């Protein structure tokens, strides 16, 4: 059974600092997704990582995937308040005939001025 | 292009009542999903569909039924609501093409069962 774990679950940081959110998963997969959720809102797709060594960047966020270590990271550079949200990683279970995602618990990120 | 829409946005039920949540997508996606989101647990898959007329169980299907009579609609039913079904329900859809299939989520339905 595929399990996905994120850490930390809560992160409070100051503007301008750098930090990394980690996403570990338990079985083989080479498809990993990062989503953002603002309070009371739906999920917004951030990154899709499809192979070992994949790296995607958008603004102050950079995501990477190491399929051998079963680990993805979401790195935040010089954080700004607008990045405050909950971030989820999700791993495709690669079951035949369907795309079934297993989500991590989410990391609630608060960026303080 | 509305994307994924959900009806209703919010509902209060009494234990034992029934209701149906409607999800509609206008992106011609084959795959549709129902999730529930509870505090500290991320999203958990309830049921999903890989095409019109097909449905399958996800991780937490008990107490729910679904139907996909039309490609663009995916209905989630609660036959006899229980307080444990208080949650936020999200519908999503995706199109699998070349191994890439980002799921697009609806705005969510907040359900409170008293």
């Amino acid at each position: 059974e595929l399990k996905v774990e994120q850490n930390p679950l809560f992160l409070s940081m100051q503007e301008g600092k750098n930090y990394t959110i980690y996403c570990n998963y338990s079985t083989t997969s080479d498809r990993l997704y990062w989503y953002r959720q603002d309070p009371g809102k739906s999920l917004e797709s951030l990154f899709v990582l499809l192979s070992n060594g994949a790296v995607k960047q958008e603004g102050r966020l950079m995501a990477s995937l190491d399929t051998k270590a079963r680990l993805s990271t979401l790195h935040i550079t010089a954080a700004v308040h607008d990045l405050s949200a909950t971030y989820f990683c999700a791993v495709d279970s690669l079951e035949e005939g369907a795309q079934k995602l297993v989500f991590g618990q989410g990391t609630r990120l608060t960026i303080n001025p | 292009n509305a994307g994924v829409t959900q009806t209703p946005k919010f509902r209060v039920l009494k234990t034992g009542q029934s209701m149906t949540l409607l999800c509609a997508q206008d992106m011609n996606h084959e795959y549709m999903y129902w999730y529930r989101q509870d505090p500290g647990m991320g999203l958990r898959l309830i049921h999903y569909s890989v095409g019109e007329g097909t449905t399958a169980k996800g991780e937490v299907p008990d107490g729910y039924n679904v139907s996909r009579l039309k490609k663009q609609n995916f209905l989630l039913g609660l036959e006899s609501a229980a307080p444990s079904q208080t949650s936020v329900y999200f519908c999503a859809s995706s199109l699998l093409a070349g191994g890439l299939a980002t799921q697009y989520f609806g705005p969510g339905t907040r359900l409170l069962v008293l």
Side-chain angles (χ1 to χ4, degrees), chain A residues 1 31 33 35 37 39-43 45 48 50 88 92 95 97-106, chain B residues 31 33 35 37 40-43 45 48 50 57-59 90 94 96 99-103 105-107 110:
Chain A
E1 180 188 353
R31 297 177 201 168
Y33 302 78
Y35 287 87
Q37 185 180 36
K41 302 293 186 182
S42 188
L43 279 76
S45 176
V48 180
L50 292 181
F88 292 93
D92 193 334
E95 290 189 26
Q99 181 216 27
K100 291 172 66 176
L101 297 184
V102 177
F103 283 79
Q105 312 97 306
Chain B
Y31 295 2
Y33 310 82
Y35 294 91
Q37 183 177 31
M41 299 188 73
L43 277 76
L45 182 64
Y48 65 99
V50 299
K57 294 180 180 180
E59 180 185 355
F90 286 100
S94 68
L96 186 62
L100 173 62
T102 298
Q103 291 189 14
F105 286 81
R110 297 179 186 280

Side-chain angles (χ1 to χ4, degrees), chain B residues 43-59:
Chain B
L43 277 76
R44 292 181 293 168
L45 182 64
I46 304 171
H47 285 280
Y48 65 99
S49 168
V50 299
E52 182 179 319
T54 72
T55 64
K57 294 180 180 180
E59 180 185 355

Side-chain angles (χ1 to χ4, degrees), chain A residues 78-94:
Chain A
V80 293
H81 179 69
D82 286 352
L83 292 178
S84 295
T86 299
Y87 293 86
F88 292 93
C89 64
V91 179
D92 193 334
S93 63
L94 300 181

Side-chain angles (χ1 to χ4, degrees), chain B residues 58-109:
Chain B
E59 180 185 355
V60 289
D62 293 343
Y64 305 95
N65 57 76
V66 288
S67 64
R68 182 105 181 262
L69 299 180
K70 294 183 179 180
K71 186 177 183 179
Q72 63 268 33
N73 295 339
F74 195 28
L75 278 63
L76 177 70
L78 286 73
E79 290 185 349
S80 180
S84 61
Q85 293 178 305
T86 293
S87 188
V88 180
Y89 292 85
F90 286 100
C91 175
S93 70
S94 68
L95 177 65
L96 186 62
L100 173 62
T102 298
Q103 291 189 14
Y104 295 88
F105 286 81
T109 295

